Amino acid sequence: MDNKSNVPVFFLIPDLTGFTKFMTSTDPDFANKVITVMLNKLVAANILEMTVAEIEGDAVFFYRKGRLPAVNKVAKQCKFIFEAFNDVITTFKQIDPENYKKYLSKNQLGVKIIIHHAYINIAKINGRIKLLGEDVILVHKLLKNSINLPCYILLTDSYLEKLKNKKAAANWFNWENLKRGKDKYEHFGVTYYSYIPLG
């Protein structure tokens, strides 16, 4: 097992909101078609040339080692992901209007984008790269939060503290819409973050 310690990593995780309800209350063939197309589009929207750590049922775990990408590029990446999500919804409205009306027309699916920065360990186990460390656990936990919106960007304090030019960040991330939030997670306590509604 090869191991690299304390590697700086930028995380960006698009995750589908409403996924469980959508999968359990939608025609299975239609649901599988939508999710397959959606995840492929989200992976293809990767303009930051990030690495895919894994794809779970409703999320793509992107990461990038080393220097933090410029905030304008991060904002552009979020825009691309949100556009890709909306393009898929629009496509199904056109090609399958009946199922769209039943299962997608009332924002049954949304997308949240989690952005985080951390120092983690990267290990090679049985030929596969694995990300290790408490921040890997934390970023998974942040996918389950108390924000009651279908579409938003969540920016962790760890990421925001790394930004050298907060004024420039405000220009790219619609800071006037920035809201504060917090959730309590077992073993981590209260975790604070900021978020921006998308729509």
Side-chain angles (χ1 to χ4, degrees):
M1 181 179 84
D2 299 327
N3 203 345
K4 291 183 181 177
S5 298
N6 294 321
V7 178
V9 168
F10 167 78
F11 286 101
L12 190 146
I13 305 172
D15 176 72
L16 299 176
T17 59
F19 174 78
T20 302
K21 188 176 180 184
F22 179 75
M23 292 302 290
T24 54
S25 63
T26 304
D27 173 78
D29 289 341
F30 180 71
N32 288 330
K33 203 180 290 182
V34 170
I35 298 304
T36 300
V37 172
M38 186 70 77
L39 291 174
N40 275 304
K41 284 279 188 184
L42 295 181
V43 171
N46 178 13
I47 61 169
L48 284 178
E49 298 179 349
M50 298 172 288
T51 302
V52 176
E54 55 188 306
I55 299 174
E56 294 189 352
D58 57 348
V60 182
F61 285 78
F62 288 118
Y63 74 97
R64 182 167 141 167
K65 295 185 290 184
R67 196 173 171 185
L68 203 64
V71 69
N72 62 317
K73 291 182 179 176
V74 174
K76 191 175 179 183
Q77 177 66 81
C78 292
K79 185 182 175 193
F80 264 60
I81 287 169
F82 189 49
E83 286 174 351
F85 169 82
N86 283 320
D87 285 349
V88 173
I89 302 297
T90 301
T91 297
F92 280 97
K93 183 179 181 180
Q94 293 165 349
I95 66 172
D96 195 343
E98 190 180 329
N99 278 320
Y100 165 82
K101 190 174 180 183
K102 267 198 250 179
Y103 305 120
L104 288 173
S105 63
K106 296 175 182 172
N107 293 327
Q108 287 97 324
L109 273 184
V111 65
K112 58 179 175 270
I113 303 167
I114 310 295
I115 295 174
H116 183 50
H117 179 271
Y119 291 88
I120 67 167
N121 293 333
I122 298 179
K124 197 169 187 181
I125 302 170
N126 198 26
R128 294 189 64 196
I129 299 295
K130 290 299 289 180
L131 309 182
L132 307 171
E134 63 180 51
D135 277 281
V136 179
I137 299 167
L138 176 62
V139 83
H140 276 79
K141 286 186 178 294
L142 283 166
L143 294 170
K144 306 297 180 191
N145 58 60
S146 57
I147 302 170
N148 192 23
L149 293 168
C151 301
Y152 59 89
I153 303 168
L154 185 154
L155 307 150
T156 66
D157 285 3
S158 176
Y159 170 73
L160 291 172
E161 284 161 10
K162 278 283 175 186
L163 299 182
K164 289 174 184 166
N165 189 341
K166 300 270 192 311
K167 195 173 179 183
N171 294 334
W172 289 101
F173 271 115
N174 298 325
W175 244 229
E176 68 275 8
N177 295 323
L178 193 72
K179 302 176 188 301
R180 288 293 282 167
K182 65 178 180 179
D183 283 288
K184 190 173 183 180
Y185 299 109
E186 189 179 3
H187 306 303
F188 291 92
V190 177
T191 301
Y192 294 88
Y193 51 78
S194 297
Y195 65 98
I196 303 164
L198 289 170

